[in-house]
Amino acid sequence: MNLPRINLVVIGHKDHGKSTLIGRLLYDSNAIPEQKLQEVEAELKKAGDEGFRFAFLLDTLEEERRGGLTIDIMQTPFKSKKHLYTIIDCPGHREFIKKMFTGASQADAALLVVSAKEGIQDQTKQHAFLIRTLGIEQLIVAVNKMDEANYEAARFKEICNELLPILNSLDYRVPAIVPLSALKGENVFNRTQKMPWYRGSSLIETLDRTVRSSASPIDKPLRACVQDVYKLESKKVVVCKILTGILEEGEIVNFDPSGEEGLVTGIEMFGKEIERAGPGDSVGLIVNKLREAKRGEVVSYPQNRAKVVRSFVAEMVLFSNIEVRNGDVLIIRCGTAENKCKVQKILERIDPINLTVNAKSPEVLKSGDVGKILFSPLQPMCIEKYSEFPELGRFVVEGKRGTAAAGIVLETHAAGAE
Ligand code: GDP
């Protein structure tokens, strides 16, 4: 049976137990490859200790994080009764921000880990803020290290009372909060006897009950990014990657921002002729009467056409060695397009720790800042709202030494409209 897939991003302050919890989920769900388990068994024989098996697994995970070994255990999917979960692991805080904003992976839900020992800290709030900004609507909280708090109800309540107003302010209304110990395996896969005051379900039962996989991109309007255009005898072949929707032979499509229109007379994938293609497919389109379409353009149908924008508002996070001021021109990469965009106005600087606007219309944004900016492209450009088309609603800013910033689009203002 094919279980629905869920991509789960695990977030929270450093040392609150994210890797331990991931290890526990993989271990208790029997997701670890046979070969790895045999290594564990061998070590276990030497030590003769039940606790050791799990500790050994954690050591292996730790090594993989540091060394980036070829078998990426952290990415091993694990099964529950209802879902196939894949963890999006973000070992460090910087990696987290980069991975999420550059769209290396698309999360359906987030699991926020808070240590009962240390309590709520800066990255707890900061990560919650970032996932909200990224439009991740499903959030589950694990209050970890309950063993270090003597499994006491009072400490759990205290954390809930501090956390709930923060999450509510981010519009996470009634998030499920589960007390557990990742290290001891209490209330992760198996329910615990240690917290009789807790009447809710274990973490995995809670995930199964509350999380849903995101709507399939197949049901959305067509958007595809042109990667290349070449001539084959008398025909033009447009190589493009489909992001959302279905592309069908015999349909009229638009290419924007050039504004061209053409009839799709053939679709090829891996050298074979096909009639239709969907999200994730890279295809060659044979389109008649095409003159100018080139790399960077967006393919859509006339009835729901890609937007060419006059300006757009984005939330942007600056990584390193970059400062942004009003009037600066940045090189923005979105889909396969690269465009120069002017910083029309820096609207706000946002404090991602206290979750407040800490400056209106600031002069400058610096490395590490998060800001809201009004951009205007210097050439015609297609870009979409992140909430509608995530793939065309996020962008990175190219600096002299690679990616300098990344952002997501909150609002677009169509060209020609007031
Ligand atoms: P990460 O930085 O969030 O990935 O945190 P780690 O998983 O590396 O854990 C940090 C430390 O907390 C390690 O020493 C873990 O052994 C410890 N730890 C994690 N979970 C628990 C738990 O449930 N109980 C206790 N007592 N310690 C834990």
Side-chain angles (χ1 to χ4, degrees):
M1 192 179 65
N2 276 344
L3 294 171
R5 289 168 171 271
I6 305 279
N7 288 324
L8 190 65
V9 61
V10 181
I11 56 174
H13 200 84
K14 188 176 172 312
D15 288 338
H16 282 205
K18 296 181 293 296
S19 350
T20 311
L21 184 56
I22 296 169
R24 175 57 72 184
L25 286 164
L26 296 178
Y27 185 76
D28 283 4
S29 61
N30 301 319
I32 310 298
E34 190 55 33
Q35 193 198 345
K36 285 278 173 208
L37 274 180
Q38 280 170 8
E39 285 177 44
V40 177
E41 299 296 344
E43 290 296 326
L44 195 66
K45 260 194 194 145
K46 280 190 236 158
D49 172 10
E50 173 57 27
F52 191 74
R53 177 193 274 215
F54 184 61
F56 179 84
L57 171 69
L58 287 184
D59 286 350
T60 320
L61 291 177
E62 190 57 34
E63 246 169 63
E64 298 224 341
R65 289 181 151 219
R66 278 200 307 265
L69 299 186
T70 42
I71 321 162
D72 197 348
I73 296 201
M74 286 304 224
Q75 301 283 315
T76 312
F78 68 91
K79 272 188 205 156
S80 66
K81 287 193 188 117
K82 263 183 77 178
H83 295 132
L84 183 68
Y85 293 93
T86 305
I87 301 278
I88 304 169
D89 169 46
C90 307
H93 183 61
R94 295 189 68 78
E95 284 92 333
F96 169 73
I97 295 183
K98 263 197 184 167
K99 213 166 177 173
M100 291 282 95
F101 269 79
T102 53
S105 6
Q106 185 82 37
D108 297 304
L111 175 59
L112 173 64
V113 181
V114 185
S115 163
K117 187 175 156 207
E118 287 95 358
I120 289 150
Q121 289 181 14
D122 286 355
Q123 286 168 11
T124 316
K125 297 186 214 168
Q126 207 169 359
H127 288 184
F129 171 80
L130 286 172
I131 57 157
R132 164 47 73 204
T133 308
L134 287 169
I136 299 173
E137 286 176 1
Q138 311 187 80
L139 174 79
I140 278 104
V141 183
V143 175
N144 188 30
K145 305 196 191 181
M146 283 304 292
D147 55 302
E148 299 238 24
N150 295 323
Y151 298 104
E152 273 172 14
R155 180 60 180 150
F156 178 68
K157 271 207 190 115
E158 202 174 20
I159 296 214
C160 292
N161 289 341
E162 202 183 330
L163 193 60
L164 278 171
I166 296 170
L167 296 181
N168 288 344
S169 77
L170 293 172
D171 244 14
Y172 292 112
R173 291 280 161 222
V174 265
I177 309 184
V178 182
L180 52 87
S181 165
L183 192 66
K184 312 274 180 192
E186 302 285 353
N187 229 9
V188 180
F189 248 78
N190 306 316
R191 286 203 191 185
T192 180
Q193 307 296 319
K194 299 258 166 57
M195 294 178 270
W197 47 266
Y198 174 73
R199 296 207 179 78
S201 37
S202 68
L203 178 65
I204 196 70
E205 289 163 346
T206 308
L207 284 168
D208 272 357
R209 198 184 61 238
T210 50
V211 171
R212 266 169 214 89
S213 54
S214 302
S216 162
I218 288 185
D219 302 328
K220 290 191 172 180
L222 173 70
R223 292 291 184 272
C225 282
V226 177
Q227 290 166 322
D228 195 11
V229 179
Y230 64 92
K231 258 188 126 166
L232 188 71
E233 293 153 18
S234 61
K235 314 182 282 194
K236 268 200 176 165
V237 180
V238 180
V239 181
C240 60
K241 176 156 189 194
I242 301 172
L243 306 171
T244 53
I246 299 282
L247 189 82
E248 283 187 277
E249 196 186 21
E251 295 284 340
I252 301 270
V253 289
N254 288 109
F255 291 82
D256 287 297
S258 75
E260 274 201 275
E261 193 178 271
L263 176 70
V264 180
T265 57
I267 307 175
E268 288 176 2
M269 190 155 80
F270 302 124
K272 278 204 187 119
E273 290 268 331
I274 53 173
E275 284 172 12
R276 60 210 312 260
D281 292 343
S282 278
V283 292
L285 300 185
I286 299 150
V287 185
N288 67 358
K289 291 197 197 133
L290 211 55
R291 287 185 311 272
E292 298 188 18
K294 54 183 183 298
R295 180 179 169 84
E297 297 213 285
V298 178
V299 184
S300 59
Y301 288 133
Q303 43 298 15
N304 185 325
R305 202 162 156 179
K307 285 192 194 76
V308 179
V309 302
R310 173 172 49 92
S311 59
F312 61 94
V313 175
E315 193 148 281
M316 192 165 94
V317 52
L318 282 66
F319 298 143
S320 49
N321 303 314
I322 179 176
E323 277 190 9
V324 173
R325 292 169 194 277
N326 290 335
D328 283 358
V329 172
L330 307 181
I331 298 173
I332 283 188
R333 196 145 50 77
C334 171
T336 49
E338 211 173 78
N339 280 290
K340 287 188 178 147
C341 293
K342 186 171 166 192
V343 175
Q344 206 64 42
K345 188 170 172 51
I346 305 176
L347 304 171
E348 291 172 357
R349 180 166 53 232
I350 299 156
D351 179 344
I353 294 177
N354 296 316
L355 312 177
T356 50
V357 173
N358 71 1
K360 284 263 180 206
S361 314
E363 289 289 307
V364 59
L365 294 175
K366 297 191 169 159
S367 297
D369 282 350
V370 176
K372 209 189 252 186
I373 300 175
L374 175 69
F375 282 105
S376 46
L378 298 185
Q379 315 97 327
M381 174 184 189
C382 285
I383 201 161
E384 306 272 359
K385 264 165 87 166
Y386 178 85
S387 57
E388 288 172 11
F389 293 98
E391 299 85 353
L392 288 172
R394 66 178 156 228
F395 59 85
V396 292
V397 175
E398 288 304 319
K400 288 196 187 76
R401 276 175 279 162
T403 307
I408 63 166
V409 178
L410 305 176
E411 270 173 52
T412 58
H413 310 131
E418 272 313 301

